[in-house]
Amino acid sequence: MLTPRLIRPLAIAAAIIVIAGGVYGIVSAASSNASAGAGAGQPAAGSNARSGPAAGGVVGTVSSVSTSSFTVSTSAGQKVTVKRTSSTTYRMRTRSTSARAITNGKPVLVLGTTNATTITATQVVLQPASGGSATFSPSKVIAFTRGAPTTSKQDGQIPANYSEGSGTIVSGTTADKATKAALAAYPGGVVDRVVKLSNGEYEVHNIGVDWPHHIFVNKHFKVIGAN
């Protein structure tokens, strides 16, 4: 039979074990949650997994204008909010212009950082040139319709050994050139990232439409295919 003198140390030891186990469980859970969060929100190096805002753009018609932003409506029915900053530049095709040139009804190409249906513009081009960016005759963009079956089709050629999720996200002039080419061939969607593939070609990721979701651009910035 245990005496009171022995019971007290045993009880204290048991309490320490329980507390330690609880702390370990909390730390393990936090570690697991952190890992899951990193996997969901932060891409590994060289990954094109969704990682938040990235270089992209849109082409469409200005439908409303405010002091710090304007709205672009695309041919596929998407509405995109374009945020202006002090460093945003404006061009009327090849010549410089000002923010005052952005008025309702004007066709525009917007390049910048895309976050869903909001773009922080680095460059706005009024009356952008169209066509001439594909090595084939592109099919018409299919607008998104809630409840309709997803369209599965292919235009042109898909780069050999391409697998969705591969490649490295790019930005700057390279992303702008690939975005321009993709939107000239397939207007209507919103480009939310550009990925450089292992063969040096590019996948331009297109959202807001039923088809196409992936537009492929070669090293010379010509569209070679889509799916």
Side-chain angles (χ1 to χ4, degrees):
M1 182 175 180
L2 297 175
T3 66
R5 182 174 295 180
L6 291 174
I7 291 173
R8 179 172 294 179
L10 289 173
I12 292 172
I16 291 172
I17 291 171
V18 170
I19 292 170
V23 170
Y24 175 78
I26 292 170
V27 171
S28 298
S31 176
S32 298
N33 289 340
S35 298
Q42 298 295 328
S47 169
N48 75 350
R50 291 186 182 277
S51 58
V58 69
V59 64
T61 303
V62 177
S63 54
S64 67
V65 181
S66 69
T67 303
S68 60
S69 67
F70 59 93
T71 302
V72 171
S73 297
T74 75
S75 58
Q78 283 295 307
K79 289 190 179 297
V80 179
T81 299
V82 179
K83 293 183 178 180
R84 299 190 269 201
T85 71
S86 58
S87 59
T88 302
T89 61
Y90 303 88
R91 290 195 297 120
M92 178 73 77
R93 293 206 174 182
T94 58
R95 61 184 176 83
S96 296
T97 187
S98 70
R100 292 191 297 274
I102 306 298
T103 57
N104 287 347
K106 290 288 182 68
V108 293
L109 164 68
V110 178
L111 299 171
T113 301
T114 304
N115 185 6
T117 56
T118 299
I119 299 176
T120 301
T122 56
Q123 183 180 131
V124 180
V125 182
L126 286 90
Q127 299 179 356
S130 60
S133 65
T135 60
F136 60 96
S137 296
S139 300
K140 186 176 180 181
V141 170
I142 300 174
F144 174 76
T145 303
R146 190 175 299 278
T150 301
T151 300
S152 178
K153 62 181 293 187
Q154 177 181 319
D155 268 1
Q157 299 295 316
I158 305 304
N161 301 320
Y162 165 73
S163 61
E164 188 173 352
S166 62
T168 304
I169 294 176
V170 297
S171 59
T173 302
T174 297
D176 288 349
K177 288 181 178 179
T179 298
K180 287 180 188 178
L183 291 173
Y186 294 99
V190 181
V191 172
D192 72 343
R193 66 182 180 271
V194 177
V195 176
K196 187 173 184 179
L197 304 175
S198 60
N199 65 356
E201 295 179 328
Y202 303 93
E203 175 216 330
V204 179
H205 194 261
N206 198 34
I207 62 173
V209 294
D210 185 58
W211 183 92
H213 292 299
H214 311 102
I215 304 168
F216 299 96
V217 178
N218 66 17
K219 299 174 185 178
H220 306 292
F221 300 102
K222 297 287 186 181
V223 175
I224 58 171
N227 67 6

